[in-house]
Amino acid sequence: MSAIQETIHRLHDELPEGVSLVAVSKFHPAEAIADAYGAGQRLFGESHVQELCAKCPVLPPDIEWHFIGHLQTNKVKQLVPHVGLIHSIDSEHLLREVNKQALRIGRRIDCLIQLHVAQEETKYGFTPDEALRFIGDGTWREMDGVRLVGIMTMASNVDDKAQIRREFRTAADTFRRISADIDSFRHLSMGMSHDWRIAVDEGATLVRIGTTIFGQRQYSSL
Ligand SMILES: *Cc1c(COP(=O)(O)O)cnc(C)c1O
């Protein structure tokens, strides 16, 4: 068994029931994904549209591709035929474009609202108040090309575990408040290689793990 396969098995064993693993394969070649697939992994996360669209035709069709990166509206059209879940809806404008492009090809796409809870100013997403207001105003109900199924967030990239936990808890509170109103709300996507255990503690249903599975990314090779 390869190192990738051993890690996949270990993570599947460690994750509690009800928590699914999204293997973040960005910047890793199709062969590494096929290796993980061989260990039973079916959900893969990518953060660039071109990369996802290049990989999916050369890999098994029962892989479910998740888009986790910042999505530009001019790339949505290319993405919608291939994607199973978009984690990174960071504006109403983007959601409207996904809706439009999904309707054009007769699909309904599952989407997560990206929540900004981290201290970094560079992170995209809705603040909790903005998310609650957007859900409350209800315009999304007229968008038949998308289904809002939950929230995605990233904690600050810090060593302070208490801070990470506080940020995940804020996201989980927002998730629970919205879930009370929306039946389709069922996913809380949070936790990466260094903080997924805290995220699971705080109620994550999807964890997005890359480096632990595939090793360091070689950004320069692309
Ligand atoms: C790259 C990425 C991950 C995976 O991070 P690792 O530290 O490699 O586990 C998770 N979520 C998002 C949004 C990412 O861009």
Side-chain angles (χ1 to χ4, degrees), residues 35-204:
D35 195 1
Y37 180 93
Q41 182 63 31
R42 293 296 179 270
L43 309 181
F44 290 89
E46 291 282 339
S47 58
H48 292 94
V49 172
Q50 260 167 311
E51 192 179 344
L52 188 156
C53 294
K55 284 172 177 174
C56 71
V58 301
L59 284 155
D62 62 337
I63 285 180
E64 188 178 307
W65 295 97
H66 288 195
F67 192 81
I68 64 171
H70 176 59
L71 179 54
Q72 292 168 282
T73 48
N74 64 355
K75 302 275 176 66
V76 170
K77 183 178 180 180
Q78 209 189 339
L79 178 67
V80 290
H82 308 293
V83 74
L85 177 64
I86 299 175
H87 290 231
S88 44
I89 298 294
D90 56 14
S91 70
E92 177 171 354
H93 177 64
L94 177 61
L95 186 68
R96 284 190 185 283
E97 182 63 17
V98 174
N99 179 58
K100 178 176 147 196
Q101 296 301 339
L103 289 174
R104 210 179 47 86
I105 60 166
R107 282 202 63 190
R108 182 167 213 186
I109 308 234
D110 285 349
C111 293
L112 306 181
I113 301 285
Q114 182 169 348
L115 208 63
H116 176 109
V117 294
Q119 65 185 9
E120 286 102 338
E121 284 175 17
T122 55
K123 294 260 159 72
Y124 294 100
F126 292 76
T127 65
D129 280 348
E130 287 167 349
L132 290 166
R133 218 176 308 134
F134 174 63
I135 295 297
D137 94 5
T139 49
W140 55 272
R141 290 185 196 273
E142 287 138 40
M143 302 185 203
D144 291 330
V146 293
R147 177 169 31 228
L148 295 181
V149 298
I151 277 177
M152 181 273 248
T153 203
M154 272 182 279
S156 297
N157 188 12
V158 293
D159 291 328
D160 182 352
K161 291 201 163 60
Q163 180 181 348
I164 293 171
R165 187 176 294 277
R166 269 197 311 277
E167 292 173 355
F168 283 151
R169 193 163 291 176
T170 299
D173 284 344
T174 309
F175 171 74
R176 278 189 284 268
R177 287 176 66 178
I178 298 174
S179 311
D181 287 342
I182 307 185
D183 290 342
S184 60
F185 241 59
R186 56 175 175 274
H187 288 308
L188 180 54
S189 166
M190 58 187 196
M192 306 167 40
S193 287
H194 67 286
D195 59 12
W196 67 265
R197 287 184 175 82
I198 305 173
V200 167
D201 260 6
E202 295 301 326

Side-chain angles (χ1 to χ4, degrees), residues 26-29 210-219:
K26 63 187 184 197
F27 295 98
H28 291 285
T211 307
T212 298
I213 299 169
F214 297 109
Q216 293 295 331
R217 292 177 278 273
Q218 301 290 322
Y219 291 105

